[in-house]
Amino acid sequence: MVLRWCATNATAAGLVLASALTFTGLALSPVRAEEPQWQHASALNGTPKYASDVSHFDYVNPDAPKGGTVRLASRGGFDSFNILAQKGSLAPGLALIYENLMEPSLDEEDISAQYGALADGVRFPDDYSWVEYRLNPDAKWHDGEPVTAEDVIWSFEKAIELDPQRKFYFQNVTDTEIVDDRTVRFTFDTAGNRELPKIMGQLFILPKHWWEGTDDKGEKRDISRATLEPPLGSGPYKIKSFSPNRNVVYEHVDDYWGSDLPIRVGTNNFDEIRYISFLDDSVQFEAFKGDQYDYHVERSSSQWAKRYDFPAIRDGRVVKEIFPDNSSGVMQGFFLNLRRDKFQNPDVRQALNYAYDFETTNEIVSAGLLKRIGSYFAGTELASSGLPEGKELEILEEVRDQVPPEVFTEEFKNPVGGSQQNVRANLREAVKLLRKAGYELKDRKMIDPATGEQLTIEFLYRDKASERTLLPYSKNLESIGIKPVLRLVDTSQYINRVRSRDFDATVLAIGQSLSPGNEQREYWGSEAADNPSSANYAGIKNPAIDHLIDKVIFAEDRDSLVAATHALDRVLLWNHYVVPQFYSDETRTARWNRFAHPQNMPEFSTGFPTIWWYDRELADKTGAAK
């Protein structure tokens, strides 16, 4: 999967430590037969949209005005600017000061397409067994020092040394080589994995000379530890000022080396980008209404329907705008921890889905604005439907004896509630499934006869707003004899408990790329199940799923990729690992009316604030920011 990186959200997983670091001068390098040609961009499926001679991408305004400030909100405080430290809370917005080797555009169906950022060229052989990146000769750090191949290799080694997620994600790298000052090579332990050359382009590059130097107190820096010393970067912004746990201000770098790159023209138009930290959703929204920050993405359908009637909306100073969300799929739901014996039986897991009344909850809580998730890739062409056929059926035949028979005979569909009649029928079916799993209903309690204990499920959550969904679900569970325990904890405790797998059930969301690949191993693969740093929260260990993940990773073309993903999706669904919840295929936004965006917006992102700009005429009408 080619990730649209943001330092404030979840990172990709990691790599296996390179077995050797070889310093080889270019003139002394052995001649390699049939050398692949250097390319300005690469894509998994076909040809990148933009040629090497374009001046800018189609969706930007190349003449966008420069200047002004935009204020953004972030959740939680921060006490570190070190993106590799495993302790401490990372400040929002750090992606602004760093760069990857390559970056995607925002308007290509093949979102795996990548274009040069720090690198101006990439090449790899037909079997994808290695990749080389060539650095742009103009790339430099904010102190004027050039970005070197040594920086790339050092960044790679530190990433896999310090971050278990990155180590897992880049685990196929077996060797690294500095070919010359501008060129690096990564060699892989397998051939045919088309995605491996691409994911190496996602590597954040850090300045070795700065991190191995000393601070203004003469103390040696330690990249393994959290720090509030503003770090050196190579990106379009640098840290101007900050107050720990409260705010951080980034200012545009006047002599930014990459301003004229095709991926940068028409972007990064603000002089300052400020992040303000909030600890509570309600307080944050009131701050938005009070003009304390400029741009709000509303993730609550209930709030979108009920809370956007205030003076600034009515007089036009705040603008609501909905953008289609075509960039990704998602599985959001009640993730069940299979490490608990009570969830080992798929009949128990399926019964919990029958007890969830999405339709009523959606109508009452979310004004009917949400859609039920029926796929691990909901909202994309990768979602399975109907019965398997063609390539997908051929793939599934390889694991026929390892998957539920319904995979071949029934289309997966969630139970439908919404009426008393439907809900009662669903709850009766849930009881049947629990009895099939060996439970007995006695005195209105679902009892495990082997232990005499009532089936109890603790739901772990950190946001009180989750109770709008949890409370009606709990009521249904109680009606069939299950004892729900709602456990509200603070953010740090929640993170620690999820990481240590100390939960029965919790609401989680796994975002999916339109080009799935190696990250599927981290989400659902057996090897990741026992890794506390992985995203295999459910603890899935299933050889059939491992096989299907490999089919996704080693797909040779788009048709094969879609078929393999459909097969994977179908098997995940019929194992009932998750009680699917809901999603929206829209991005609902509200903003103080001081900003403008291009007419030709990209299909796969709102692009805020990267391709937007400060509109002084609108700002004069709206009033100065407080």
Side-chain angles (χ1 to χ4, degrees):
M1 175 178 71
V2 176
L3 302 173
R4 304 196 192 282
W5 181 273
C6 176
T8 61
N9 50 16
T11 66
L15 333 160
V16 167
L17 183 62
S19 59
L21 175 59
T22 306
F23 291 84
T24 308
L26 182 61
L28 300 178
S29 296
V31 176
R32 295 165 179 130
E34 299 181 2
E35 290 284 313
Q37 297 298 307
W38 288 103
Q39 307 170 49
H40 75 288
S42 64
L44 280 178
N45 304 293
T47 304
K49 174 180 178 179
Y50 295 101
S52 59
D53 59 350
V54 301
S55 60
H56 60 82
F57 290 163
D58 291 343
Y59 53 82
V60 304
N61 174 7
D63 300 315
K66 303 293 184 180
T69 296
V70 60
R71 303 164 302 165
L72 305 174
S74 66
R75 280 296 306 277
F78 67 91
D79 58 9
S80 177
F81 293 131
N82 184 357
I83 64 171
L84 292 183
Q86 296 303 291
K87 293 185 179 180
S89 298
L90 200 62
L94 284 172
L96 295 168
I97 73 173
Y98 291 119
E99 290 180 295
N100 307 95
L101 293 169
M102 308 281 282
E103 288 186 15
S105 69
L106 301 178
D107 66 342
E108 292 179 71
E109 290 188 5
D110 182 357
I111 67 166
S112 67
Q114 295 186 121
Y115 299 85
L118 283 176
D120 67 2
V122 59
R123 66 176 185 170
F124 44 83
D126 291 340
D127 67 357
Y128 309 100
S129 59
W130 55 266
V131 65
E132 285 185 354
Y133 284 95
R134 183 184 63 200
L135 293 174
N136 190 311
D138 295 328
K140 64 180 180 180
W141 302 104
H142 294 157
D143 64 357
E145 291 293 315
V147 179
T148 67
E150 190 172 358
D151 289 321
V152 176
I153 298 300
W154 183 84
S155 299
F156 171 84
E157 292 183 329
K158 289 302 177 182
I160 63 174
E161 173 190 341
L162 300 173
D163 188 338
Q165 288 189 323
R166 287 178 172 90
K167 183 175 182 179
F168 188 88
Y169 190 53
F170 295 109
Q171 63 181 300
N172 296 105
V173 177
T174 60
D175 191 27
T176 59
E177 177 183 351
I178 294 180
V179 179
D180 59 38
D181 284 348
R182 289 179 53 204
T183 310
V184 298
R185 171 182 283 218
F186 298 98
T187 303
F188 308 121
D189 62 2
T190 185
N193 189 331
R194 299 184 308 145
E195 193 181 39
L196 290 179
K198 310 294 188 300
I199 66 175
M200 299 314 301
Q202 300 169 11
L203 187 65
F204 259 131
I205 309 305
L206 306 176
K208 178 182 178 181
H209 72 281
W210 188 86
W211 280 103
E212 291 192 342
T214 57
D215 60 22
D216 56 7
K217 297 179 181 178
E219 298 178 357
K220 186 173 177 58
R221 298 184 178 97
D222 184 352
I223 196 171
S224 69
R225 301 180 64 180
T227 179
L228 282 171
E229 182 185 10
L232 182 70
S234 62
Y237 289 88
K238 61 183 178 181
I239 295 174
K240 176 182 179 180
S241 62
F242 66 94
S243 177
N245 294 315
R246 298 183 64 183
N247 61 71
V248 56
V249 180
Y250 297 88
E251 64 178 347
H252 194 271
V253 177
D254 291 336
D255 60 347
Y256 169 53
W257 70 272
S259 295
D260 295 328
L261 293 175
I263 63 170
R264 295 288 182 252
V265 173
T267 71
N268 303 307
N269 301 311
F270 294 97
D271 282 343
E272 288 188 356
I273 299 177
R274 300 181 182 181
Y275 284 87
I276 305 167
S277 296
F278 297 92
L279 300 178
D280 180 87
D281 279 342
S282 297
V283 173
Q284 178 177 323
F285 186 67
E286 291 302 315
F288 173 73
K289 291 165 60 178
D291 197 8
Q292 297 301 304
Y293 66 97
D294 294 304
Y295 186 85
H296 184 76
V297 177
E298 185 52 73
R299 306 189 187 282
S300 169
S301 296
S302 175
Q303 288 202 165
W304 184 255
K306 302 173 183 178
R307 295 187 62 183
Y308 282 80
D309 183 16
F310 50 90
I313 288 279
R314 293 192 290 269
D315 63 24
R317 287 177 296 146
V318 170
V319 176
K320 296 170 66 178
E321 188 168 6
I322 296 176
F323 298 90
D325 185 358
N326 303 315
S327 63
S328 63
V330 67
M331 167 52 80
Q332 176 177 305
F334 299 101
F335 277 61
L336 307 174
N337 188 354
L338 272 66
R339 302 166 187 86
R340 304 283 204 252
D341 289 341
K342 56 191 165 189
F343 297 130
Q344 282 294 306
N345 192 314
D347 292 325
V348 173
R349 304 194 296 265
Q350 186 178 12
L352 297 179
N353 195 8
Y354 272 97
Y356 178 52
D357 180 9
F358 161 75
E359 286 73 18
T360 299
T361 303
N362 184 37
E363 186 63 31
I364 294 175
V365 175
S366 302
L369 295 175
L370 298 174
K371 297 181 179 180
R372 183 79 195 270
I373 285 179
S375 166
Y376 280 71
F377 302 85
T380 75
E381 68 166 334
L382 302 170
S384 59
S385 61
L387 294 178
E389 58 184 21
K391 286 185 178 181
E392 180 189 355
L393 181 58
E394 292 176 12
I395 292 169
L396 287 169
E397 288 290 355
E398 298 175 13
V399 293
R400 177 181 279 272
D401 61 344
Q402 302 176 63
V403 303
E406 294 88 349
V407 165
F408 297 91
T409 60
E410 297 180 43
E411 179 181 10
F412 180 88
K413 292 185 178 180
N414 288 301
V416 177
S419 69
Q420 291 185 358
Q421 182 179 2
N422 286 352
V423 171
R424 283 196 297 267
N426 289 339
L427 292 176
R428 284 196 295 269
E429 186 63 30
V431 171
K432 289 180 182 178
L433 287 166
L434 290 168
R435 284 174 171 160
K436 181 182 175 183
Y439 284 90
E440 297 178 359
L441 189 58
K442 293 182 178 180
D443 300 324
R444 299 185 177 182
K445 295 181 179 180
M446 194 61 66
I447 302 297
D448 181 351
T451 63
E453 296 180 354
Q454 183 180 12
L455 177 56
T456 301
I457 302 176
E458 181 188 74
F459 291 89
L460 186 70
Y461 61 106
R462 57 178 170 175
D463 186 350
K464 194 169 179 62
S466 300
E467 293 175 358
R468 292 195 295 264
T469 298
L470 281 169
L471 289 173
Y473 187 34
S474 296
K475 184 177 179 181
N476 285 351
L477 293 174
E478 288 175 338
S479 71
I480 58 174
I482 297 174
K483 180 182 178 181
V485 177
L486 305 188
R487 187 75 64 199
L488 176 64
V489 297
D490 62 34
T491 298
S492 60
Q493 186 178 357
Y494 177 85
I495 293 173
N496 288 334
R497 287 191 60 177
V498 171
R499 282 179 176 172
S500 62
R501 312 313 193 203
D502 181 20
F503 66 93
D504 285 346
T506 188
V507 175
L508 294 165
I510 299 292
Q512 291 283 10
S513 162
L514 298 180
S515 181
N518 290 268
E519 80 290 340
Q520 301 302 310
R521 288 173 173 164
E522 189 200 2
Y523 297 162
W524 330 114
S526 298
E527 185 181 349
D530 295 325
N531 179 357
S533 297
S534 80
N536 189 346
Y537 303 109
I540 297 170
K541 291 184 177 181
N542 186 320
I545 289 174
D546 293 337
H547 180 80
L548 295 174
I549 290 173
D550 282 344
K551 286 291 185 179
V552 171
I553 292 173
F554 290 96
E556 296 181 352
D557 52 46
R558 182 68 185 179
D559 288 345
S560 298
L561 175 67
V562 172
T565 307
H566 284 170
L568 173 63
D569 181 39
R570 203 179 298 272
V571 173
L572 286 167
L573 288 168
W574 277 110
N575 276 285
H576 307 291
Y577 296 127
V578 173
V579 177
Q581 285 189 314
F582 42 76
Y583 76 104
S584 173
D585 55 8
E586 300 175 329
T587 300
R588 305 182 183 104
T589 71
R591 67 181 183 272
W592 284 86
N593 196 19
R594 304 182 179 105
F595 310 97
H597 61 69
Q599 290 186 345
N600 181 28
M601 289 291 284
E603 182 178 359
F604 299 109
S605 174
T606 65
F608 191 89
T610 306
I611 64 174
W612 293 54
W613 60 89
Y614 188 80
D615 189 312
R616 297 191 182 279
E617 184 176 346
L618 288 175
D620 289 342
K621 295 178 181 179
T622 301
K626 295 182 179 179

